Amino acid sequence: MKKIILFIFLIPCFLGFVAHNVYAAEWTILVYLAADNDLEAAGIDDFLEMASVGSDTNIKIVVQFDRASGYDTTNGDWTSCKRFYITSGMTPTAANASQDLGEVNMADPATLTSFINWGTSNYPATRYALVLWNHGGGWRDSYARGSFLIELESLNKDKDKNKFSESKISIKKQELLSALEETDPMFLKGVCWDDTSPGDYLEMREVRQALDNATTNMNLVGFDACLMGMIEVAHEIKDTGASVMVGSEHTEPGDGWPYNTFLSDLAGNPTASPSQLGTYIVDRYYASYGNSQTQSAIDLTNINTLSGTVSTFANSIRNNWNSNKSAVKSAAQNVIDEIDDTIIREHHGSSWPGANGLAIYLPTGSPSTSYNGTIIKFAQDTLWDEFLGDYYSSMSGSWIESARSNSQDFSDPDHIDLYDFCNEIVNFVNYTVTPVTYAFEDISSTGGALGLGDDAFGYYSIPFTFTFYGIDYTAISVASNGTIYFTNNYIGPNNVCIPGSSGYDTDTFIAPFWDDLNPTSAGEVYAMWSGSAPNRRVIIQWEDVPHYSLGSSYIITFQAILYEGSNQILFQYQDAFFGSPPYDWGASASVGVQLDSTTGTSYSCNSAALSNGLAILFTLPRRGKAPISAILNLLLLN
């Protein structure tokens, strides 16, 4: 009888073991739904989207769902963390949960590892996809967000108590976010914030740690979060076993991914490869927002090669930016070629014409001290961080800065599209100059006299932002010697041919007539701002100014006009004839525009190329940039 009993007990064990392996699914989708924050309601919506498809024999959908208090009261308003095996039509109630974990910190990498191990051991499959669902910001964060969350929670309570209107609450939140961004521009880097543990989030090195510590490798890692489509993010997880990463360069709307549509695609093709699943996600996401957002699927197996190519590119810029443009352009083209081999699928809306699938960190100001090899592997493994230091300290006003300024950026303006930056380098464009109809705007009786002496200059604010070689300026220097530039420095009388080293404090200038002029002897330099926004113009006029080497009766009159919006530059010559052949018609002057000692457009140099009634227009051909969306979207999506 004992033997019979033993046999009865062994059969279920044996059958269970067989079922566990024979009936393994094709895919298990693990969604780490970190909604213990202001995205709780969106988390419930996405849960219901998953349930509209549900698990079957081929696809298993498992979720770890952490909720918050004070945002959404539906489905029992529970606030702990629960695990679900999602079936068709399921709702996220406590009764439907497979496990109740109590309160956990979703920003702890051990919590993520535990979820992966639970999902893969209980719902085995041929392939696995992990989706990290939450706020995102790229490669890193700072701790300042903790204080922001405390203030944000206070505002939410004020809203609940009807102390302020919805519009006033929104304004207060935006003011708070703007103030935090100003004092701590790095506060939006990382993923999966847990507001019950204020200020805590998963750094990318912690995501890598969680994946490395899991017993089973993922095949696809997706970020249903903002700003995670970065090479730094991809590089961090390239060796964790996953072959595909999905992420957006720009912010994501609060509704995030359309789980119902791409899961339906997968249900119709359960043997889809990781690349095919990534393509489903990208296509369905893009379509769900009317083809207006950014999303990309990235081949992680090529990231090592791409990162190495980027490192070589960074080193080439450092060594050749002011001496060998061809070498820099060649290195940039190599990066473009590798990106083409790395992006599996990419879509971008018309607001981001320069988005190509992978962003990179290139701030306009001093790089974050957190961007180093102890925080992210990309900085450890490449020379990009060394380039950032050189860029900030040495390349201001250079063609490299111009290319960076023209590159596609995103809600975090320190993130630019890597492909677009390289494309701006490869196809760096210079100003064109063409003769146009002469229409001199004489301001000698209406403009302000600047009172400049010999070899003098003045530094003045202008009423609009003027973009020169892609770099924005709100002030100009006007020099008596026929030049305009953008620093509060001196450019003297000794002209050089454009492009070339000026020999003075700046190599970035506009030269309608750079020569040794002397308004102390005679004449005047006038300035006037004219027109109304968005079509204003700055007019600088050198009126009856003599050459230093000639008498006060040997005079010329010319002007330069800077246009708002188009950023075109117009030179007009009313009288370019001194009455002395060595100096007449620009014979001893430089005429043109210059970015740096190797980049500029010359109309003439020490050549009698000018004439009375001549007007020449300088235009920089460039692709229009999309406006940067409000940074408020990054955290206040609800």
Side-chain angles (χ1 to χ4, degrees), residues 503-538:
Y504 298 100
D505 293 326
T506 180
D507 283 330
T508 303
F509 56 82
I510 297 167
F513 198 104
W514 183 12
D515 204 345
D516 191 0
L517 305 180
N518 183 16
T520 301
S521 174
E524 183 58 80
V525 182
Y526 297 96
M528 188 173 82
W529 325 143
S530 182
S532 57
N535 299 302
R536 292 167 290 186
R537 56 199 185 277
V538 172

Side-chain angles (χ1 to χ4, degrees), residues 462-478:
I462 58 177
F464 56 85
T465 298
F466 182 75
T467 303
F468 184 64
Y469 277 103
I471 304 170
D472 294 339
Y473 299 98
T474 56
I476 60 173
S477 284
V478 178

Side-chain angles (χ1 to χ4, degrees), residues 111-182:
T111 304
L112 175 55
T113 298
S114 174
F115 170 58
I116 295 171
N117 289 343
W118 172 82
T120 56
S121 62
N122 285 280
Y123 304 97
T126 304
R127 290 168 290 273
Y128 298 95
L130 172 68
V131 180
L132 298 176
W133 185 106
N134 186 250
H135 290 300
W139 56 270
R140 181 72 158 88
D141 195 333
S142 76
Y143 297 103
R145 189 174 183 274
S147 61
F148 168 74
L149 291 173
I150 294 171
E151 294 293 329
L152 179 61
E153 181 62 23
S154 176
L155 287 175
N156 288 329
K157 290 179 180 178
D158 290 339
K159 174 183 174 182
D160 293 340
K161 295 176 181 178
N162 296 315
K163 289 178 66 176
F164 300 105
S165 67
E166 286 277 358
S167 60
K168 286 186 177 180
I169 290 289
S170 177
I171 292 171
K172 283 178 174 288
K173 286 181 177 181
Q174 187 161 7
E175 289 174 347
L176 177 62
L177 194 59
S178 297
L180 182 58
E181 168 69 3
E182 183 176 347

Side-chain angles (χ1 to χ4, degrees), residues 430-447:
N430 218 332
Y431 276 85
T432 61
V433 55
T434 54
V436 294
T437 301
Y438 174 78
F440 199 83
E441 295 190 55
D442 190 355
I443 62 169
S444 59
S445 60
T446 55

Side-chain angles (χ1 to χ4, degrees), residues 66 84 127 140 167 228 292-293 343 374 384 422 435 467 528:
D66 193 17
F84 295 84
R127 290 168 290 273
R140 181 72 158 88
S167 60
M228 300 304 291
S292 64
Q293 296 295 319
I343 302 301
T374 65
W384 190 256
C422 292
T467 303
M528 188 173 82

Side-chain angles (χ1 to χ4, degrees), residues 27 128-130 218-222 242-246 274 277-278 281:
W27 276 96
Y128 298 95
L130 172 68
M218 298 295 100
N219 299 96
L220 180 149
V221 176
S243 61
V244 175
M245 182 186 103
V246 178
L277 176 55
I281 296 169

Side-chain angles (χ1 to χ4, degrees), residues 22 94 161 305 337 531:
V22 171
K161 295 176 181 178
T305 302
D337 294 342

